[in-house]
Amino acid sequence: MAKFKYSARDQQGKVVDGNLEAKNIASATDALHDQGLIVVSLKEAGGIDFEKLSEINVGGIPMKEKVIFMRQMATMVGAGLPLTRSLEIMIQQASNPKFKKILQNVLASIQSGKTLADSFRVEEDVFDQVTINLIEAGEESGNLENILEKIAVELEEKNALTRKIKSAMIYPAIILIVIVAVIVLMMLVLVPSMADMYKDFGSELPFATRFLMSMSDFFINYWWVILSVILVLVVGFKYYKDTPKGKRNIDKLLLKVPSLGTILSKIQLSQFTRILSLLLGSGVPIIKAIDLTASSLGNLMFRETLEEAKNEVEKGGPLAIPIARSEYYPLLVSSMIAVGEETGEIDSVLAKVAEYYKEEVDTATSNLSSLLEPIFLVIMGLAIGFIAVAVYMPMFQLATVVG
């Protein structure tokens, strides 16, 4: 028999702590349930207690943890397990200490009479408002199992897109770091040694060489000025971006950047059609669905269009017309929305459009690395080429004079 230390709640919600003996953790759980207790935590007693240490959490809750939670909750709810029992199992399986603590709070909230959606709404930085409203719609419609499955798919697709963008940017980022490192090394090591060699040249050095030597001197003597300017620019940019006007101007500018603007537009369109389809298909009213979809979009241009569309839909107008007026939403999207509104199957139509844009985003992100790579290579070639010319031009000049 093994000894276990437990923390549980009774039927009145009061916390009960204690110890018991059982063959294994499953037997211990059953024994507590027989006593009318709801398990919050259960672990084998003895040895060093690492539970307090594990509560130290670095970073947020991993997306993988959220996906696993949604899928397993959907399976257990579909199998007929009560929410409280399902949450007990998830608490025992949770590997992230912060998420485990949040699930314990959610369990206590449900035991006090609140819904799953309201319980998660109290916990900040776990799920966004779209996810919480989907859970609420699932509870109200009695279709929580399917809603949780859909949320899991949505979280997986969002996570997959983030991973693709990050992986596509790794190689260009490495090239950019190499460019900066090579230029700094040349300015701090190669050019100063070249300056010592040419100081007794006896004639005027070429302009490129003099310019490079001046830059090197500035790097060496005023490096703190360079770092200060970079810091001021970064802080200033962040401050400007956080202002409503700055956010709008930057978002508008990004959409006009060749290639990058196209990729960003496709990402926003994919997210718009996917989330709106998911919300409408889950029974969320269209006004609320449009509002939630708009808040989930990162680019202000796309968000403003949806906010205007919401105002027109509230007055009884169709969604397709304000979408069609926008320069940021293509004709395909507005036309398909119009078809969906005419047939009464707007969620199904949007799901098909979302699938199309998902493929477009996959293709665009796959080509992102190959698109940026030659640009950075050209920049590196021009920079190193200029330094090489500036270094060797005096040698060629001296050879001409001697000849």
Side-chain angles (χ1 to χ4, degrees):
M1 300 286 282
K3 292 184 178 180
F4 294 91
K5 184 177 180 181
Y6 68 87
S7 177
R9 291 181 184 271
D10 59 20
Q11 298 299 325
Q12 287 74 40
K14 183 180 177 181
V15 177
V16 179
D17 297 325
N19 298 281
L20 81 161
E21 291 186 354
K23 291 182 179 180
N24 50 47
I25 195 167
S27 300
T29 304
D30 291 338
L32 291 171
H33 284 159
D34 291 341
Q35 298 175 32
L37 298 176
I38 298 172
V39 179
V40 176
S41 67
L42 178 65
K43 63 183 183 65
E44 192 168 351
I48 300 173
D49 187 0
F50 291 99
E51 187 170 330
K52 294 298 181 183
L53 292 175
S54 68
E55 289 180 3
I56 301 174
N57 186 70
V58 179
I61 300 168
M63 183 64 73
K64 182 180 179 181
E65 192 92 12
K66 298 179 183 180
V67 173
I68 292 173
F69 169 77
M70 287 297 177
R71 287 209 178 279
Q72 293 188 353
M73 282 293 291
T75 301
M76 289 185 286
V77 170
L81 265 70
L83 270 179
T84 51
R85 178 59 180 146
S86 301
L87 283 168
E88 286 177 12
I89 296 172
M90 294 308 304
I91 289 169
Q92 293 178 23
Q93 292 185 354
S95 58
N96 184 277
K98 182 179 179 181
F99 194 42
K100 187 171 186 175
K101 183 66 176 176
I102 288 170
L103 291 181
Q104 290 173 346
N105 295 338
V106 169
L107 175 61
S109 178
I110 290 176
Q111 290 167 350
S112 68
K114 291 185 179 179
T115 64
L116 181 62
D118 289 338
S119 301
F120 270 120
R121 192 173 276 117
V122 176
E123 304 293 334
E124 298 179 354
D125 302 326
V126 182
F127 296 113
D128 57 21
Q129 288 301 311
V130 172
T131 302
I132 291 172
N133 278 273
L134 284 170
I135 293 174
E136 187 175 45
E139 289 181 300
E140 291 175 355
S141 64
N143 196 26
L144 185 59
E145 175 192 358
N146 292 333
I147 296 297
L148 291 174
E149 281 286 356
K150 290 179 179 180
I151 293 173
V153 172
E154 165 63 20
L155 293 176
E156 283 178 335
E157 290 184 355
K158 187 186 296 185
N159 190 38
L161 176 60
T162 303
R163 288 201 312 267
K164 285 178 183 177
I165 294 175
K166 287 182 178 178
S167 61
M169 292 300 295
I170 288 176
Y171 186 57
I174 292 174
I175 294 177
L176 185 60
I177 292 171
V178 170
I179 293 172
V180 174
V182 168
I183 292 175
V184 170
L185 187 64
M186 285 185 168
M187 299 300 286
L188 297 180
V189 178
L190 176 63
V191 177
S193 62
M194 176 201 72
D196 293 338
M197 182 176 64
Y198 290 152
K199 65 182 179 180
D200 298 325
F201 188 66
S203 63
E204 186 179 10
L205 294 172
F207 171 77
T209 307
R210 286 184 280 115
F211 178 75
L212 189 63
M213 291 170 64
S214 299
M215 283 183 60
S216 177
D217 289 339
F218 188 81
F219 261 82
I220 295 172
N221 298 320
Y222 299 99
W223 57 269
W224 55 273
V225 175
I226 298 172
L227 292 180
S228 299
V229 170
I230 293 173
L231 180 62
V232 168
L233 289 175
V234 170
V235 173
F237 177 78
K238 187 179 184 306
Y239 175 79
Y240 179 68
K241 185 181 179 182
D242 290 341
T243 62
K245 183 179 179 181
K247 167 70 173 170
R248 192 177 193 282
N249 290 337
I250 291 172
D251 284 354
K252 190 173 184 179
L253 180 63
L254 286 174
L255 294 176
K256 294 182 178 180
V257 176
S259 298
L260 178 62
T262 303
I263 295 174
L264 292 176
S265 294
K266 288 179 179 179
I267 291 174
Q268 293 297 293
L269 290 168
S270 174
Q271 189 172 351
F272 157 66
T273 51
R274 189 178 68 248
I275 292 178
L276 187 57
S277 169
L278 182 57
L279 288 166
L280 292 175
S282 301
V284 178
I286 188 168
I287 302 299
K288 191 173 185 179
I290 295 172
D291 190 40
L292 290 168
T293 304
S295 65
S296 71
L297 298 179
N299 191 282
L300 204 56
M301 300 298 101
F302 286 86
R303 194 186 306 168
E304 286 179 352
T305 300
L306 279 189
E307 289 170 353
E308 294 172 4
K310 186 190 75 170
N311 294 332
E312 293 200 22
V313 173
E314 284 178 329
K315 297 174 183 177
L319 175 62
I321 292 178
I323 295 294
R325 286 200 302 264
S326 172
E327 62 178 298
Y328 302 106
Y329 289 81
L331 182 61
L332 170 66
V333 175
S334 59
S335 299
M336 294 299 286
I337 290 175
V339 172
E341 288 180 313
E342 290 174 5
T343 59
E345 297 181 355
I346 186 171
D347 57 320
S348 301
V349 173
L350 284 171
K352 294 177 181 177
V353 180
E355 188 63 30
Y356 166 75
Y357 277 109
K358 178 180 178 295
E359 294 176 1
E360 288 286 301
V361 170
D362 289 343
T363 303
T365 51
S366 299
N367 296 334
L368 183 60
S369 179
S370 58
L371 178 69
L372 295 175
E373 179 185 343
I375 297 175
F376 287 137
L377 289 177
V378 168
I379 294 173
M380 183 169 66
L382 290 174
I384 295 176
F386 171 76
I387 293 174
V389 169
V391 169
Y392 287 106
M393 275 185 69
M395 295 182 183
F396 296 143
Q397 185 175 335
L398 178 61
T400 303
V401 171
V402 172

